Amino acid sequence: MKAYATFRDLQHDLFNGTLTCKDVVTHHLQFIKSHAHLNAFLSIYESEAFKRAEQIDQRIQANTAGSLAGMVIGIKDLLAYQDHPLEASGKILKNYLPPYSSTVVQRLMEADAIIIGRQNCDEFGMGSSNENSAFGPVLNPFDTSRVSGGSSGGSAVAVQTGMCRISIGSDTGGSVRQPAAFCGVMGLKPTYSRISRHGLVAYASSFDCIGIIGSNADDIARVLEVIAGADTYDSTVSSTEVPAISLGASSTASFKVGYIPETLDTQALQPEIRQAVLETLEKLKTNGHQVRPVAFPYLNYLLPAYYILAAAEASSNLSRYDGVRYGYRSSEATDIMTMFKKSRSEAFGKEVKRRIVLGTFVLTSDYHDAYYTKAQKVRRLIRDSTRTLFTDVDFLLMPTTPTTAFPVGRQSKNPVETYLADIFSVQANVCGMPAMSVPCGKDNFGLPIGLQVMADDFQEQKLIQFSDLLTRLN
């Protein structure tokens, strides 16, 4: 099978009969097997994928196929798919089979997408390197001594190497955009509440977003049209109408682009990334777009506010894993209290324990006001300040990450340094606004650089169009 730049091109051949869904599945399975050493997939649904391919081929012939007919998709190991393993890349949910599918998976299936397998990630989505998985790290395809990014590392690697057309991940503090940047693909975190979280394993419920990783903007737009929108199973989902987001004709509009100078002046920023961002800003000016610096006074408060609040919510959400109802139960338990303690201490990984402890600490009565309440107030200030910026500009442009992919093993030496990898990505999660990482060249070692674009609430259509424009500029 030849390489197709977009799913639109691939589907054209599917519908005119020169290609079959079975051919497409065979193609992606070959790449999954040839790249098995990268550890991107935890489960591969080979026989099931072929069966669905045959069914969809029949629907194509009968002109009854869905909008995503023939699209091969991988799902992060945080999304429920009925009677398929869901383990959150940890031990505490070992061998768990959900009795229902998440809303996102259900909508993909109804649109005739093909789920090819379950993808490796940081345990419970907690990490920026995909080294916190109980099943081992996912390696970067550009340099296997480097990390893939996290927590959706397996999802980004799968798209980059052609193991699937689209990956569905989750983004709590950058977990779609950061691995997309490290792997040279596109990653969208939509507006909070744009996509139902029903069937997504919860980490921090007021931050969690289901996101999309793809190789081009049009593919991502087509998937977003299908999975976004109101859902009776999730009361937090917005009822805002989902527009026709697919690109079709590319936008020729002139945009107002803002950038925060401090994001480019920090010594933590890798020089090649700074240069890539500056060159992109100059290209935008040359092509008739307005580019201006903007003031944002809360940059240094983003990470503290995020980690306090996210850890507090994680402490609450993960309290349900107690060995009583489902999941891992310690064989050494002698009474109910030792069952709680031993089950959780034996099955949770180090990073998950670290965040639970931090979250429990900031929620204690002695420190609740000093940390949690204050962080909530800071979050409000950050959101209000960011929204004010979008009264003057259409987009904020900044690096996705301060560095390109770092070496495997660095996180275990200095976890705090790894947390700093989220310094640019967490703003979109704290504010609940949409953001997208776009490939923007490579560094001196040949590792991909990611450029992040952020927009106002529910502006995904404009964000995707602008991101497509950036890929053509670069």
Side-chain angles (χ1 to χ4, degrees), residues 264-280:
L264 301 178
D265 293 340
T266 174
Q267 292 184 345
L269 186 63
Q270 190 171 320
E272 298 101 310
I273 297 178
R274 179 185 296 107
Q275 187 62 31
V277 175
L278 292 173
E279 288 177 0
T280 300

Side-chain angles (χ1 to χ4, degrees), residues 22 33 66 78 106 117 119 143 170 176 227 250 284 291 319 340 349 419 422 432 444 460:
K22 187 176 180 181
K33 292 171 183 177
L78 290 176
Q106 187 65 37
Q119 295 163 335
D143 180 350
S170 63
V176 160
I227 65 176
S250 297
L284 287 169
V291 177
S319 64
F340 290 159
Y419 295 166
D422 299 333
N444 295 335
E460 285 86 1

Side-chain angles (χ1 to χ4, degrees), residues 89-103:
S89 290
K91 295 180 181 178
I92 205 154
L93 278 175
K94 185 177 181 180
N95 299 325
Y96 176 68
L97 299 177
Y100 67 96
S101 290
S102 64
T103 296

